[in-house]
Amino acid sequence: MTLAPLIELNDGYKIPQLGLGTWPLDDAQVADAVVEAVSCGYRHIDTAVKYGNETGVGNGIRASGVARGELFVTTKLDGGFQGSGKAAAGLDGSLERLGLDYVDLLLIHWPLPRRDEFVSTWKTFEELQASGKVRSIGVSNFKPSHLDRLFRETDVVPAVNQIQVNPAIPRPVAIAFNEQHGIVTESYSPLGASSDLLNAPVLASIGNKHGRTPGQVVLRWHVQQGLVAIPKTANPQRMRENLDVFGFELDQDDLRRLQTLDAGPDAGVDSDVQGH
Ligand SMILES: NC(=O)c1ccc[n+]([C@@H]2O[C@H](COP(=O)([O-])OP(=O)(O)OC[C@H]3O[C@@H](n4cnc5c(N)ncnc54)[C@H](OP(=O)(O)O)[C@@H]3O)[C@@H](O)[C@H]2O)c1
């Protein structure tokens, strides 16, 4: 069985480099998906309050038969939990739905800069980390400007920034900024979500060269640059395929050809104006 390599976070905890995305699976679907994923080697599950499936994730974890300590569970608190102190009740609700006494990683789902509450929310996250109910704390959809404010006004540097990254939206500046500050970049929508990225002829061509599928080429592109990726699928065959990306290497020519998929600086979400 393949287990994804572990990447060390800035707080000493380790995150499996490949995890299972769970949006938009419902409680019943996600419970089955988690059991299947754990059986084929996934040890990292990504959920969020907003996905409405934390109960199912918890049920899947308990049904998987793998010890809690071997799994890495992430959840995220959305705008309803932003503001001084509100995240504490948010985390308690997540732990209750998950049926867990801690999560491995808690993320601020979106910065919502117009509300200007992410700094006070982060201070509550720092207290939650000290309480032991969460091991690592991080952010999602944060731009360098949002992170700069956390660096200036709070004490703990986020362990992770989960952002939209794939070969069409490669975000090299954001990735380099995160890395420079010791923050691990985690790619969401790593396969391009509902776009037609995986149908790009260049992916089939590179895949044929290595005996791999387009999805594997894309996920290899993530892990080879040190990113964590959380592809979503409930399909057992694709789960296995997506995890099996640690036994081949993209060469310089492949990487150069993948750059042609870049859709430009205006592609992807703009977290100054989107999010909830
Ligand atoms: N922090 C945030 O704001 C945020 C935003 C979006 C997503 N996320 C997280 O990131 C996770 C992944 O992102 P995502 O779901 O948007 O997109 P994604 O993982 O890039 O793509 C999922 C889509 O790809 C298909 N797929 C999966 N494996 C495949 C394969 N090997 N070959 C062909 N198609 C494949 C899936 O179809 P099937 O399911 O039919 O296999 C699904 O339609 C989410 O589930 C969620 O946990 C976070």
Side-chain angles (χ1 to χ4, degrees):
M1 186 197 293
T2 314
L3 292 187
L6 301 172
I7 291 192
E8 187 160 338
L9 302 173
N10 61 15
D11 56 17
Y13 288 109
K14 291 181 176 147
I15 184 169
Q17 201 176 4
L18 217 106
L20 182 74
T22 66
W23 184 85
L25 301 173
D26 66 20
D27 278 325
Q29 292 167 327
V30 85
D32 290 346
V34 167
V35 170
E36 184 68 35
V38 171
S39 80
C40 66
Y42 286 79
R43 294 293 179 267
H44 169 182
I45 314 292
D46 181 85
T47 183
V49 175
K50 206 76 190 171
Y51 302 169
N53 64 14
E54 291 174 307
T55 300
V57 168
N59 289 339
I61 288 170
R62 279 179 294 284
S64 75
V66 167
R68 165 69 184 99
E70 289 180 38
L71 298 173
F72 189 102
V73 181
T74 300
T75 196
K76 317 180 193 82
L77 298 182
D78 54 71
F81 305 100
Q82 285 222 24
S84 183
K86 288 190 188 163
L91 177 59
D92 283 344
S94 289
L95 291 175
E96 196 174 325
R97 285 185 293 278
L98 287 161
L100 301 176
D101 53 15
Y102 71 94
V103 288
D104 295 274
L105 178 62
L106 184 70
L107 303 178
I108 297 181
H109 206 146
W110 294 87
L112 307 179
R114 289 179 192 170
R115 277 175 52 172
D116 198 19
E117 288 178 327
F118 67 79
V119 172
S120 65
T121 306
W122 186 251
K123 289 180 180 171
T124 306
F125 270 47
E126 292 176 330
E127 289 165 15
L128 293 174
Q129 185 176 39
S131 79
K133 290 179 180 176
V134 51
R135 290 191 166 169
S136 300
I137 54 176
V139 296
S140 181
N141 296 295
F142 272 47
K143 293 181 174 180
S145 59
H146 308 137
L147 288 166
D148 269 332
R149 278 203 60 199
L150 293 189
F151 301 155
R152 280 198 307 272
E153 299 177 40
T154 70
D155 298 325
V156 177
V157 174
V160 166
N161 187 11
Q162 184 183 113
I163 56 175
Q164 184 189 34
V165 177
N166 58 59
I169 306 164
R171 300 207 195 277
V173 174
I175 292 170
F177 182 89
N178 291 340
E179 192 177 351
Q180 189 190 336
H181 293 279
I183 299 169
V184 167
T185 300
E186 184 173 18
S187 307
Y188 76 69
S189 304
L191 297 169
S194 54
S195 74
D196 64 354
L197 173 67
L198 293 182
N199 294 322
V202 68
L203 293 176
S205 167
I206 296 171
N208 285 339
K209 175 174 148 187
H210 295 281
R212 298 288 179 155
T213 66
Q216 288 177 314
V217 171
V218 169
L219 291 169
R220 181 69 208 175
W221 175 89
H222 289 274
V223 302
Q224 200 165 306
Q225 54 177 316
L227 308 177
V228 173
I230 47 168
K232 173 266 165 184
T233 183
N235 174 313
Q237 171 61 35
R238 285 178 172 177
M239 277 182 198
R240 285 171 174 72
E241 179 184 320
N242 292 349
L243 190 58
D244 183 17
V245 296
F246 298 100
F248 74 108
E249 191 132 358
L250 299 171
D251 61 32
Q252 287 307 315
D253 185 50
D254 300 330
L255 294 172
R256 190 185 48 72
R257 294 174 71 201
L258 288 172
Q259 284 175 6
T260 63
L261 294 170
D262 187 344
D266 295 331
V269 298
D270 180 352
S271 54
D272 274 336
V273 291
Q274 284 176 268
H276 42 65

